Each structure stands twice: as C-alpha cells, then as structure tokens.
Amino acid sequence: MKVFSTVHDIQKYLLEINNLHDATVGFVPTMGALHKGHLSLIEAAKKKASITVASIFVNPTQFNDKKDFERYPIQLDKDLEMLLHAGCDIVFVPTVAEIYPNGTLEKTSVPLGFIGKTLEAAHRKGHFEGVLQVVKRLLDIVQPDFLFLGQKDYQQCMVLTQLITHYQLPVQMEICTTLREPDGLAMSSRNMRLSAEERSAALQLSKSLFAIQAAYKTQPLNVLLDDQLQVLASNPLILTEYLTIVNGSTLKPITKYKANIPMVALVAAKVGEIRLIDNVILQ
Ligand code: PAF
C-alpha cells in the first residue's frame, strides 16, 4: 500500500499506473477514524475497480461547529493499518495547505435548490459548501472512475450527485448501505466519542427509525413521527434536531403514505455533545 501526502506525488504515481495497466480507479474519501462502514466501501471499491484509493483528510471547511472539528477523532496509524488489511492500494493523506493552496475561501458553487436548504443544510450552515469544496478538489486530484459513499450520509450523496452533474465529471457514484452495530446503531466515527450512557441513549435513533419503517404503511405519518419524537424527547441525553419522512428524490416532507414514491426517514440528534445522523430507506 502506497501512502502519499502531496498532490504531485499521488498524481505522478496514478499516471504511471494508468500508463502501465490502463487501470480503473475506485475512490473512497474519508475523514479518518475508520470503522467497518468505511472498510465496506473499500471492499466495494476493490470489487468494482482495479485500483482502490482512499483519502484521509479532516476537512476544516465542512465543520460549522469549531469544537466538533477540534474534537474530531484522529487515529492515523490505526487507520493506515486498517486500510492495509482491507487491501487498499493507495492512501492520500494531504495537509490543509496541499488541499487548499490558495486558502479556504475559494468555494465550489453548485446550485443545490431545496436540498441545499433543508435538513443538514438548515442545521449545519456552510456544511455542504465545505463538502462540495473538498470533494471537488479530491476528485480533481484523484480523477477516479468510481466514487464510493455511504448511505448514512443520505443528503451528502444527493449533494455530491449534483456536483458530478454540474461539472459533468466522468465519475460514477456508488452508494453503499449503512453498516450497523449488532444492536442497530449506525456505525459512525463519532460513536467512539460517546460515553457508555450516551452510547445506550444513541440506540434510540435507529430504534425510532425502525419503528417508523415497521408502521409507515399502516399508521398516519404525523402520528408515527410524533410518537417517536416523544420517545426521543423522553431521554434527557437526546436533543433531536429533526426526525422526518421525506421524498427520497427531493427531500420534500411527505405527510401521507403513497405507494409509488421514494420515501426515506431521517434523524439528526445530539446525544450529549455528539451529533449523530441516521436514516432508513422506506421504499
Ligand atoms: O463523509 C465524509 O466523511 C466527508 O464528508 C467526506 C465525503 C470525506 C468529505 O470530507
């Protein structure tokens, strides 16, 4: 496994490989603090492409909360070990200066419409601007054939689809299902910051989503959501930001079940100090 920290070195190596083997490149962008969910993306990339590239870069421009950025878990040696075991071919670990040589103010502007205003966008001002900025830069550097993302960041996947469409980038997005702990908690780098008590409170997020999934065809959606909002509110460690059922293609809220439209239930909540998100695709 090759590890590069400069744009020059990774591009030179990728060019050499491409000239020699006519490789296809699968790219898994990460912010490190890897878990099995990330490794499942590496596994998917290895199946689809001849070369798998992962990046580890905690992008400062996508954090709306300075404390969240400062406390983001960093475990580079462990991450590299995990990537090596997973059979990743290339890891890119750039510095902030390498990603943003002209400073962080130059934004990547993509018209997002409603998906750029709702849910995560409404609760984390500037978050998607930062995600667009860093992913555009990473795609320009790595120039992959396939981009692997996790369904847990449902809205991020939609935003990055817009990025690819807007710039007509020759990359195919592959969305991989959310990996869960045996009890149902969605895997997340942030889980490692939860205390034992918070970890057990956090389980209610997936439980509420599964309760909605079990009943959305038979019970009024507003009743279902109200019930689960109450359950969440009854735990003093949980501060819910949203729990909602939306059209899976537009993110517009859905008030009534209809058989033929894509539906997703999404939740975001702070558990103690840690902000978590999760979702289930209903249909
Ligand atoms: O989902 C993430 O980990 C990040 O938002 C990403 C895509 C690596 C960009 O920094």
Short mmCIF file of all heavy atoms in Angstrom, two decimals, residues 108-173:
data_model
loop_
_atom_site.label_atom_id
_atom_site.label_comp_id
_atom_site.label_asym_id
_atom_site.label_seq_id
_atom_site.Cartn_x
_atom_site.Cartn_y
_atom_site.Cartn_z
N THR A 108 -16.58 26.10 -4.06
CA THR A 108 -17.12 25.40 -5.23
C THR A 108 -18.62 25.61 -5.18
O THR A 108 -19.29 25.10 -4.29
CB THR A 108 -16.81 23.89 -5.13
OG1 THR A 108 -15.41 23.74 -5.06
CG2 THR A 108 -17.36 23.13 -6.31
N SER A 109 -19.11 26.38 -6.13
CA SER A 109 -20.53 26.71 -6.01
C SER A 109 -21.36 25.87 -6.99
O SER A 109 -21.13 25.90 -8.19
CB SER A 109 -20.68 28.22 -6.22
OG SER A 109 -21.87 28.49 -6.84
N VAL A 110 -22.27 25.10 -6.42
CA VAL A 110 -23.14 24.24 -7.22
C VAL A 110 -24.57 24.56 -6.82
O VAL A 110 -24.89 24.57 -5.63
CB VAL A 110 -22.84 22.74 -6.92
CG1 VAL A 110 -23.82 21.83 -7.64
CG2 VAL A 110 -21.41 22.38 -7.29
N PRO A 111 -25.44 24.86 -7.80
CA PRO A 111 -26.83 25.14 -7.43
C PRO A 111 -27.50 23.88 -6.87
O PRO A 111 -27.59 22.88 -7.56
CB PRO A 111 -27.48 25.57 -8.75
CG PRO A 111 -26.51 25.29 -9.82
CD PRO A 111 -25.19 24.90 -9.24
N LEU A 112 -27.95 23.96 -5.62
CA LEU A 112 -28.50 22.77 -4.96
C LEU A 112 -30.01 22.84 -4.80
O LEU A 112 -30.65 21.83 -4.51
CB LEU A 112 -27.86 22.57 -3.59
CG LEU A 112 -26.36 22.24 -3.57
CD1 LEU A 112 -25.83 22.23 -2.13
CD2 LEU A 112 -26.09 20.91 -4.24
N GLY A 113 -30.57 24.04 -4.93
CA GLY A 113 -32.02 24.18 -4.73
C GLY A 113 -32.42 23.78 -3.33
O GLY A 113 -31.68 24.00 -2.36
N PHE A 114 -33.57 23.10 -3.23
CA PHE A 114 -34.12 22.75 -1.92
C PHE A 114 -33.19 21.86 -1.10
O PHE A 114 -33.09 22.01 0.11
CB PHE A 114 -35.50 22.08 -2.12
CG PHE A 114 -36.20 21.78 -0.83
CD1 PHE A 114 -36.74 22.81 -0.06
CD2 PHE A 114 -36.33 20.48 -0.37
CE1 PHE A 114 -37.39 22.54 1.15
CE2 PHE A 114 -36.97 20.20 0.84
CZ PHE A 114 -37.49 21.25 1.60
N ILE A 115 -32.49 20.93 -1.77
CA ILE A 115 -31.64 20.01 -0.99
C ILE A 115 -30.47 20.75 -0.32
O ILE A 115 -29.86 20.25 0.62
CB ILE A 115 -31.12 18.79 -1.79
CG1 ILE A 115 -30.18 19.22 -2.91
CG2 ILE A 115 -32.23 17.89 -2.30
CD1 ILE A 115 -29.35 18.05 -3.44
N GLY A 116 -30.19 21.94 -0.79
CA GLY A 116 -29.14 22.75 -0.16
C GLY A 116 -29.66 23.65 0.96
O GLY A 116 -28.92 24.47 1.51
N LYS A 117 -30.97 23.51 1.23
CA LYS A 117 -31.56 24.38 2.26
C LYS A 117 -32.13 23.60 3.44
O LYS A 117 -32.33 24.14 4.52
CB LYS A 117 -32.72 25.19 1.65
CG LYS A 117 -32.30 26.18 0.59
CD LYS A 117 -33.48 27.12 0.27
CE LYS A 117 -33.10 28.14 -0.77
NZ LYS A 117 -33.03 27.54 -2.12
N THR A 118 -32.45 22.34 3.21
CA THR A 118 -33.22 21.59 4.20
C THR A 118 -32.32 20.68 5.06
O THR A 118 -31.14 20.49 4.77
CB THR A 118 -34.30 20.75 3.45
OG1 THR A 118 -35.14 20.12 4.40
CG2 THR A 118 -33.68 19.68 2.58
N LEU A 119 -32.89 20.12 6.12
CA LEU A 119 -32.26 19.10 6.97
C LEU A 119 -30.84 19.49 7.38
O LEU A 119 -30.64 20.46 8.08
CB LEU A 119 -32.30 17.73 6.26
CG LEU A 119 -33.71 17.26 5.85
CD1 LEU A 119 -33.64 15.96 5.06
CD2 LEU A 119 -34.62 17.10 7.04
N GLU A 120 -29.83 18.74 6.95
CA GLU A 120 -28.45 19.03 7.37
C GLU A 120 -28.05 20.45 6.98
O GLU A 120 -27.35 21.14 7.73
CB GLU A 120 -27.47 18.04 6.72
CG GLU A 120 -27.56 16.64 7.27
CD GLU A 120 -27.29 16.59 8.76
OE1 GLU A 120 -26.13 16.70 9.16
OE2 GLU A 120 -28.26 16.46 9.53
N ALA A 121 -28.48 20.89 5.80
CA ALA A 121 -28.10 22.23 5.34
C ALA A 121 -28.68 23.30 6.27
O ALA A 121 -28.02 24.31 6.55
CB ALA A 121 -28.59 22.45 3.91
N ALA A 122 -29.89 23.06 6.77
CA ALA A 122 -30.53 24.04 7.66
C ALA A 122 -29.88 24.02 9.04
O ALA A 122 -29.80 25.06 9.71
CB ALA A 122 -32.02 23.74 7.78
N HIS A 123 -29.43 22.86 9.47
CA HIS A 123 -28.89 22.74 10.84
C HIS A 123 -27.39 22.92 10.90
O HIS A 123 -26.83 23.12 11.97
CB HIS A 123 -29.28 21.37 11.43
CG HIS A 123 -30.73 21.30 11.77
ND1 HIS A 123 -31.21 21.65 13.01
CD2 HIS A 123 -31.79 20.98 11.02
CE1 HIS A 123 -32.53 21.51 13.01
NE2 HIS A 123 -32.90 21.11 11.83
N ARG A 124 -26.71 22.78 9.77
CA ARG A 124 -25.24 22.93 9.76
C ARG A 124 -24.87 23.92 8.66
O ARG A 124 -24.49 23.52 7.55
CB ARG A 124 -24.56 21.58 9.52
CG ARG A 124 -24.90 20.53 10.54
CD ARG A 124 -24.09 19.27 10.29
NE ARG A 124 -22.67 19.47 10.57
CZ ARG A 124 -21.72 18.58 10.27
NH1 ARG A 124 -22.04 17.46 9.67
NH2 ARG A 124 -20.46 18.82 10.56
N LYS A 125 -24.99 25.19 8.98
CA LYS A 125 -24.77 26.24 7.98
C LYS A 125 -23.36 26.13 7.39
O LYS A 125 -22.37 26.02 8.14
CB LYS A 125 -24.92 27.63 8.62
CG LYS A 125 -26.35 27.95 9.03
CD LYS A 125 -27.18 28.46 7.84
CE LYS A 125 -28.62 28.72 8.25
NZ LYS A 125 -29.63 28.03 7.47
N GLY A 126 -23.29 26.11 6.08
CA GLY A 126 -21.99 26.08 5.39
C GLY A 126 -21.41 24.68 5.25
O GLY A 126 -20.39 24.50 4.58
N HIS A 127 -22.06 23.68 5.86
CA HIS A 127 -21.51 22.32 5.84
C HIS A 127 -21.34 21.79 4.41
O HIS A 127 -20.25 21.36 4.02
CB HIS A 127 -22.41 21.40 6.66
CG HIS A 127 -22.10 19.94 6.50
ND1 HIS A 127 -20.89 19.40 6.90
CD2 HIS A 127 -22.81 18.91 5.96
CE1 HIS A 127 -20.87 18.11 6.63
NE2 HIS A 127 -22.02 17.79 6.06
N PHE A 128 -22.42 21.86 3.63
CA PHE A 128 -22.32 21.28 2.29
C PHE A 128 -21.42 22.09 1.37
O PHE A 128 -20.83 21.54 0.43
CB PHE A 128 -23.72 21.09 1.68
CG PHE A 128 -24.46 19.93 2.30
CD1 PHE A 128 -25.76 20.07 2.76
CD2 PHE A 128 -23.85 18.69 2.43
CE1 PHE A 128 -26.43 19.00 3.33
CE2 PHE A 128 -24.51 17.61 3.01
CZ PHE A 128 -25.81 17.77 3.46
N GLU A 129 -21.30 23.38 1.62
CA GLU A 129 -20.36 24.19 0.83
C GLU A 129 -18.95 23.62 1.02
O GLU A 129 -18.18 23.47 0.07
CB GLU A 129 -20.39 25.66 1.25
CG GLU A 129 -21.59 26.46 0.77
CD GLU A 129 -22.89 26.16 1.52
OE1 GLU A 129 -22.87 25.33 2.46
OE2 GLU A 129 -23.93 26.73 1.17
N GLY A 130 -18.64 23.28 2.29
CA GLY A 130 -17.32 22.70 2.60
C GLY A 130 -17.15 21.32 1.99
O GLY A 130 -16.07 20.98 1.49
N VAL A 131 -18.22 20.53 2.01
CA VAL A 131 -18.15 19.18 1.43
C VAL A 131 -17.93 19.28 -0.09
O VAL A 131 -17.07 18.58 -0.66
CB VAL A 131 -19.44 18.37 1.75
CG1 VAL A 131 -19.47 17.06 0.97
CG2 VAL A 131 -19.55 18.09 3.25
N LEU A 132 -18.68 20.18 -0.73
CA LEU A 132 -18.53 20.35 -2.18
C LEU A 132 -17.11 20.79 -2.53
O LEU A 132 -16.48 20.29 -3.47
CB LEU A 132 -19.52 21.42 -2.69
CG LEU A 132 -20.98 20.99 -2.79
CD1 LEU A 132 -21.89 22.20 -2.97
CD2 LEU A 132 -21.17 20.01 -3.95
N GLN A 133 -16.61 21.74 -1.72
CA GLN A 133 -15.29 22.29 -1.96
C GLN A 133 -14.21 21.19 -1.89
O GLN A 133 -13.38 21.06 -2.77
CB GLN A 133 -15.04 23.34 -0.87
CG GLN A 133 -13.80 24.16 -0.98
CD GLN A 133 -13.65 25.06 0.26
OE1 GLN A 133 -14.16 24.74 1.33
NE2 GLN A 133 -12.97 26.17 0.09
N VAL A 134 -14.28 20.37 -0.84
CA VAL A 134 -13.21 19.38 -0.66
C VAL A 134 -13.37 18.21 -1.63
O VAL A 134 -12.38 17.71 -2.19
CB VAL A 134 -13.13 18.89 0.81
CG1 VAL A 134 -14.25 17.95 1.18
CG2 VAL A 134 -11.79 18.22 1.07
N VAL A 135 -14.60 17.78 -1.87
CA VAL A 135 -14.77 16.61 -2.75
C VAL A 135 -14.43 16.98 -4.19
O VAL A 135 -13.80 16.19 -4.91
CB VAL A 135 -16.18 15.99 -2.61
CG1 VAL A 135 -16.38 14.85 -3.61
CG2 VAL A 135 -16.38 15.46 -1.18
N LYS A 136 -14.78 18.21 -4.61
CA LYS A 136 -14.38 18.64 -5.98
C LYS A 136 -12.86 18.61 -6.10
O LYS A 136 -12.31 18.10 -7.08
CB LYS A 136 -14.94 20.04 -6.25
CG LYS A 136 -14.48 20.66 -7.57
CD LYS A 136 -15.10 19.96 -8.76
CE LYS A 136 -14.95 20.71 -10.08
NZ LYS A 136 -13.59 20.96 -10.49
N ARG A 137 -12.19 19.14 -5.10
CA ARG A 137 -10.72 19.17 -5.12
C ARG A 137 -10.14 17.74 -5.14
O ARG A 137 -9.25 17.44 -5.93
CB ARG A 137 -10.23 19.96 -3.89
CG ARG A 137 -8.73 19.98 -3.70
CD ARG A 137 -8.05 21.02 -4.56
NE ARG A 137 -6.63 21.11 -4.22
CZ ARG A 137 -5.65 20.98 -5.11
NH1 ARG A 137 -5.91 20.79 -6.39
NH2 ARG A 137 -4.39 21.08 -4.72
N LEU A 138 -10.70 16.87 -4.31
CA LEU A 138 -10.19 15.49 -4.25
C LEU A 138 -10.45 14.76 -5.58
O LEU A 138 -9.59 14.01 -6.06
CB LEU A 138 -10.84 14.73 -3.08
CG LEU A 138 -10.38 15.16 -1.68
CD1 LEU A 138 -11.29 14.56 -0.61
CD2 LEU A 138 -8.93 14.75 -1.42
N LEU A 139 -11.63 15.00 -6.16
CA LEU A 139 -11.93 14.34 -7.44
C LEU A 139 -11.00 14.85 -8.54
O LEU A 139 -10.55 14.09 -9.40
CB LEU A 139 -13.40 14.56 -7.83
CG LEU A 139 -14.45 13.85 -6.98
CD1 LEU A 139 -15.86 14.23 -7.43
CD2 LEU A 139 -14.29 12.33 -7.02
N ASP A 140 -10.69 16.14 -8.50
CA ASP A 140 -9.76 16.71 -9.49
C ASP A 140 -8.38 16.08 -9.35
O ASP A 140 -7.67 15.88 -10.33
CB ASP A 140 -9.66 18.23 -9.34
CG ASP A 140 -10.91 18.94 -9.86
OD1 ASP A 140 -11.72 18.29 -10.56
OD2 ASP A 140 -11.09 20.14 -9.54
N ILE A 141 -7.99 15.82 -8.11
CA ILE A 141 -6.66 15.24 -7.88
C ILE A 141 -6.62 13.76 -8.27
O ILE A 141 -5.75 13.32 -9.01
CB ILE A 141 -6.25 15.41 -6.38
CG1 ILE A 141 -6.10 16.89 -6.03
CG2 ILE A 141 -4.95 14.65 -6.08
CD1 ILE A 141 -6.04 17.17 -4.52
N VAL A 142 -7.58 13.00 -7.77
CA VAL A 142 -7.53 11.53 -7.93
C VAL A 142 -8.09 11.09 -9.29
O VAL A 142 -7.68 10.08 -9.86
CB VAL A 142 -8.30 10.84 -6.77
CG1 VAL A 142 -8.32 9.33 -6.94
CG2 VAL A 142 -7.67 11.20 -5.43
N GLN A 143 -9.04 11.88 -9.82
CA GLN A 143 -9.71 11.55 -11.10
C GLN A 143 -10.16 10.08 -11.17
O GLN A 143 -9.75 9.33 -12.06
CB GLN A 143 -8.77 11.88 -12.26
CG GLN A 143 -8.48 13.37 -12.27
CD GLN A 143 -7.72 13.84 -13.49
OE1 GLN A 143 -7.72 13.20 -14.53
NE2 GLN A 143 -7.08 14.97 -13.37
N PRO A 144 -10.99 9.69 -10.22
CA PRO A 144 -11.41 8.28 -10.17
C PRO A 144 -12.49 7.97 -11.21
O PRO A 144 -13.16 8.87 -11.72
CB PRO A 144 -12.00 8.15 -8.77
CG PRO A 144 -12.56 9.51 -8.49
CD PRO A 144 -11.65 10.50 -9.18
N ASP A 145 -12.67 6.68 -11.46
CA ASP A 145 -13.79 6.24 -12.30
C ASP A 145 -15.04 6.05 -11.45
O ASP A 145 -16.16 6.20 -11.93
CB ASP A 145 -13.43 4.92 -12.99
CG ASP A 145 -12.20 5.08 -13.86
OD1 ASP A 145 -12.36 5.57 -14.97
OD2 ASP A 145 -11.08 4.77 -13.39
N PHE A 146 -14.83 5.65 -10.18
CA PHE A 146 -15.95 5.40 -9.27
C PHE A 146 -15.71 6.11 -7.94
O PHE A 146 -14.60 6.12 -7.43
CB PHE A 146 -16.10 3.90 -8.99
CG PHE A 146 -16.24 3.06 -10.23
CD1 PHE A 146 -15.13 2.40 -10.76
CD2 PHE A 146 -17.46 2.95 -10.89
CE1 PHE A 146 -15.25 1.64 -11.91
CE2 PHE A 146 -17.58 2.19 -12.03
CZ PHE A 146 -16.48 1.53 -12.55
N LEU A 147 -16.79 6.67 -7.41
CA LEU A 147 -16.72 7.33 -6.10
C LEU A 147 -17.63 6.57 -5.14
O LEU A 147 -18.83 6.41 -5.42
CB LEU A 147 -17.22 8.79 -6.25
CG LEU A 147 -17.44 9.58 -4.96
CD1 LEU A 147 -16.12 9.81 -4.22
CD2 LEU A 147 -18.09 10.95 -5.28
N PHE A 148 -17.09 6.12 -4.02
CA PHE A 148 -17.86 5.30 -3.07
C PHE A 148 -18.24 6.11 -1.85
O PHE A 148 -17.37 6.68 -1.17
CB PHE A 148 -17.04 4.06 -2.68
CG PHE A 148 -16.86 3.13 -3.83
CD1 PHE A 148 -15.84 3.34 -4.74
CD2 PHE A 148 -17.74 2.08 -4.04
CE1 PHE A 148 -15.69 2.51 -5.85
CE2 PHE A 148 -17.62 1.25 -5.15
CZ PHE A 148 -16.58 1.46 -6.04
N LEU A 149 -19.54 6.14 -1.57
CA LEU A 149 -20.05 6.91 -0.43
C LEU A 149 -21.03 6.04 0.35
O LEU A 149 -21.63 5.10 -0.20
CB LEU A 149 -20.77 8.16 -0.93
CG LEU A 149 -19.91 9.19 -1.67
CD1 LEU A 149 -20.79 10.19 -2.38
CD2 LEU A 149 -18.94 9.90 -0.73
N GLY A 150 -21.22 6.40 1.63
CA GLY A 150 -22.13 5.63 2.47
C GLY A 150 -23.52 6.25 2.50
O GLY A 150 -23.67 7.47 2.55
N GLN A 151 -24.53 5.39 2.52
CA GLN A 151 -25.93 5.85 2.55
C GLN A 151 -26.26 6.58 3.85
O GLN A 151 -27.22 7.34 3.91
CB GLN A 151 -26.85 4.64 2.38
CG GLN A 151 -28.33 4.98 2.32
CD GLN A 151 -29.17 3.88 2.91
OE1 GLN A 151 -29.04 2.72 2.50
NE2 GLN A 151 -30.04 4.20 3.85
N LYS A 152 -25.45 6.38 4.89
CA LYS A 152 -25.74 7.05 6.16
C LYS A 152 -25.78 8.58 5.95
O LYS A 152 -26.56 9.28 6.57
CB LYS A 152 -24.71 6.71 7.23
CG LYS A 152 -25.13 7.25 8.61
CD LYS A 152 -24.27 6.72 9.71
CE LYS A 152 -23.00 7.49 9.84
NZ LYS A 152 -23.20 8.90 10.29
N ASP A 153 -24.92 9.06 5.04
CA ASP A 153 -24.93 10.49 4.71
C ASP A 153 -25.82 10.68 3.48
O ASP A 153 -25.35 11.04 2.39
CB ASP A 153 -23.51 10.97 4.44
CG ASP A 153 -22.64 10.85 5.68
OD1 ASP A 153 -22.95 11.52 6.67
OD2 ASP A 153 -21.69 10.05 5.66
N TYR A 154 -27.10 10.41 3.67
CA TYR A 154 -28.04 10.37 2.54
C TYR A 154 -28.03 11.68 1.75
O TYR A 154 -27.92 11.70 0.53
CB TYR A 154 -29.45 10.08 3.07
CG TYR A 154 -30.45 9.79 1.97
CD1 TYR A 154 -30.64 8.49 1.51
CD2 TYR A 154 -31.17 10.81 1.38
CE1 TYR A 154 -31.53 8.22 0.48
CE2 TYR A 154 -32.06 10.55 0.34
CZ TYR A 154 -32.24 9.26 -0.10
OH TYR A 154 -33.11 9.00 -1.12
N GLN A 155 -28.15 12.78 2.49
CA GLN A 155 -28.23 14.09 1.82
C GLN A 155 -26.90 14.44 1.15
O GLN A 155 -26.87 15.03 0.06
CB GLN A 155 -28.62 15.16 2.85
CG GLN A 155 -29.01 16.49 2.25
CD GLN A 155 -29.54 17.45 3.31
OE1 GLN A 155 -29.54 17.11 4.51
NE2 GLN A 155 -29.98 18.61 2.91
N GLN A 156 -25.80 14.06 1.79
CA GLN A 156 -24.48 14.30 1.19
C GLN A 156 -24.37 13.59 -0.16
O GLN A 156 -23.82 14.15 -1.12
CB GLN A 156 -23.38 13.81 2.15
CG GLN A 156 -22.00 13.79 1.53
CD GLN A 156 -20.90 13.55 2.55
OE1 GLN A 156 -20.47 14.48 3.21
NE2 GLN A 156 -20.43 12.32 2.66
N CYS A 157 -24.91 12.37 -0.23
CA CYS A 157 -24.88 11.64 -1.51
C CYS A 157 -25.65 12.42 -2.57
O CYS A 157 -25.22 12.51 -3.72
CB CYS A 157 -25.50 10.25 -1.36
SG CYS A 157 -24.52 9.16 -0.31
N MET A 158 -26.78 13.02 -2.18
CA MET A 158 -27.57 13.80 -3.15
C MET A 158 -26.81 15.04 -3.59
O MET A 158 -26.78 15.41 -4.76
CB MET A 158 -28.91 14.20 -2.53
CG MET A 158 -29.83 13.02 -2.30
SD MET A 158 -31.42 13.53 -1.63
CE MET A 158 -32.24 14.10 -3.10
N VAL A 159 -26.18 15.71 -2.62
CA VAL A 159 -25.42 16.93 -2.91
C VAL A 159 -24.26 16.60 -3.88
O VAL A 159 -24.01 17.33 -4.84
CB VAL A 159 -24.89 17.54 -1.59
CG1 VAL A 159 -23.81 18.57 -1.83
CG2 VAL A 159 -26.05 18.14 -0.79
N LEU A 160 -23.60 15.47 -3.62
CA LEU A 160 -22.44 15.13 -4.46
C LEU A 160 -22.87 14.62 -5.83
O LEU A 160 -22.13 14.76 -6.81
CB LEU A 160 -21.53 14.14 -3.73
CG LEU A 160 -20.86 14.77 -2.49
CD1 LEU A 160 -20.01 13.76 -1.74
CD2 LEU A 160 -20.02 16.00 -2.85
N THR A 161 -24.08 14.09 -5.92
CA THR A 161 -24.63 13.76 -7.24
C THR A 161 -24.79 15.04 -8.05
O THR A 161 -24.47 15.09 -9.25
CB THR A 161 -26.01 13.05 -7.10
OG1 THR A 161 -25.83 11.90 -6.31
CG2 THR A 161 -26.60 12.66 -8.43
N GLN A 162 -25.24 16.10 -7.38
CA GLN A 162 -25.39 17.40 -8.06
C GLN A 162 -24.04 17.93 -8.52
O GLN A 162 -23.92 18.54 -9.57
CB GLN A 162 -26.02 18.43 -7.11
CG GLN A 162 -27.43 18.13 -6.69
CD GLN A 162 -28.40 18.39 -7.81
OE1 GLN A 162 -28.80 17.45 -8.48
NE2 GLN A 162 -28.77 19.63 -8.05
N LEU A 163 -23.02 17.72 -7.68
CA LEU A 163 -21.66 18.17 -8.03
C LEU A 163 -21.20 17.50 -9.34
O LEU A 163 -20.71 18.16 -10.25
CB LEU A 163 -20.69 17.82 -6.89
CG LEU A 163 -19.21 18.06 -7.16
CD1 LEU A 163 -18.86 19.54 -7.07
CD2 LEU A 163 -18.31 17.29 -6.20
N ILE A 164 -21.42 16.19 -9.38
CA ILE A 164 -20.98 15.41 -10.55
C ILE A 164 -21.74 15.86 -11.79
O ILE A 164 -21.16 16.04 -12.86
CB ILE A 164 -21.16 13.89 -10.27
CG1 ILE A 164 -20.13 13.46 -9.21
CG2 ILE A 164 -21.03 13.08 -11.54
CD1 ILE A 164 -20.37 12.07 -8.63
N THR A 165 -23.06 16.07 -11.62
CA THR A 165 -23.88 16.50 -12.75
C THR A 165 -23.48 17.90 -13.19
O THR A 165 -23.31 18.16 -14.39
CB THR A 165 -25.39 16.51 -12.34
OG1 THR A 165 -25.68 15.27 -11.75
CG2 THR A 165 -26.30 16.76 -13.51
N HIS A 166 -23.29 18.80 -12.23
CA HIS A 166 -22.99 20.20 -12.54
C HIS A 166 -21.71 20.33 -13.37
O HIS A 166 -21.66 21.07 -14.34
CB HIS A 166 -22.87 20.99 -11.23
CG HIS A 166 -22.64 22.44 -11.42
ND1 HIS A 166 -23.63 23.30 -11.83
CD2 HIS A 166 -21.52 23.19 -11.26
CE1 HIS A 166 -23.14 24.52 -11.91
NE2 HIS A 166 -21.86 24.48 -11.58
N TYR A 167 -20.68 19.62 -12.96
CA TYR A 167 -19.39 19.72 -13.67
C TYR A 167 -19.22 18.61 -14.73
O TYR A 167 -18.16 18.51 -15.33
CB TYR A 167 -18.23 19.64 -12.67
CG TYR A 167 -18.09 20.90 -11.84
CD1 TYR A 167 -18.52 20.92 -10.53
CD2 TYR A 167 -17.54 22.06 -12.37
CE1 TYR A 167 -18.41 22.08 -9.75
CE2 TYR A 167 -17.42 23.21 -11.61
CZ TYR A 167 -17.86 23.21 -10.30
OH TYR A 167 -17.74 24.35 -9.55
N GLN A 168 -20.27 17.82 -14.90
CA GLN A 168 -20.22 16.69 -15.84
C GLN A 168 -18.95 15.88 -15.64
O GLN A 168 -18.18 15.61 -16.58
CB GLN A 168 -20.33 17.20 -17.28
CG GLN A 168 -21.63 17.93 -17.51
CD GLN A 168 -21.83 18.34 -18.95
OE1 GLN A 168 -20.91 18.40 -19.74
NE2 GLN A 168 -23.06 18.64 -19.30
N LEU A 169 -18.69 15.51 -14.39
CA LEU A 169 -17.47 14.79 -14.07
C LEU A 169 -17.60 13.34 -14.52
O LEU A 169 -18.66 12.73 -14.33
CB LEU A 169 -17.19 14.84 -12.56
CG LEU A 169 -17.05 16.24 -11.95
CD1 LEU A 169 -16.90 16.15 -10.43
CD2 LEU A 169 -15.85 16.96 -12.56
N PRO A 170 -16.54 12.78 -15.10
CA PRO A 170 -16.64 11.40 -15.60
C PRO A 170 -16.43 10.38 -14.49
O PRO A 170 -15.52 9.57 -14.52
CB PRO A 170 -15.50 11.34 -16.64
CG PRO A 170 -14.50 12.31 -16.13
CD PRO A 170 -15.24 13.39 -15.39
N VAL A 171 -17.26 10.45 -13.48
CA VAL A 171 -17.13 9.55 -12.35
C VAL A 171 -18.51 8.98 -12.00
O VAL A 171 -19.51 9.70 -12.06
CB VAL A 171 -16.48 10.26 -11.12
CG1 VAL A 171 -17.25 11.49 -10.69
CG2 VAL A 171 -16.32 9.31 -9.94
N GLN A 172 -18.55 7.71 -11.68
CA GLN A 172 -19.83 7.07 -11.34
C GLN A 172 -19.91 6.91 -9.83
O GLN A 172 -18.99 6.39 -9.21
CB GLN A 172 -19.85 5.70 -12.01
CG GLN A 172 -21.18 4.99 -11.90
CD GLN A 172 -21.12 3.66 -12.64
OE1 GLN A 172 -20.66 3.58 -13.77
NE2 GLN A 172 -21.56 2.61 -11.98
N MET A 173 -21.03 7.38 -9.27
CA MET A 173 -21.17 7.28 -7.81
C MET A 173 -21.76 5.92 -7.42
O MET A 173 -22.71 5.46 -8.04
CB MET A 173 -22.07 8.40 -7.30
CG MET A 173 -22.02 8.48 -5.78
SD MET A 173 -23.24 9.57 -5.12
CE MET A 173 -22.59 11.13 -5.58
#
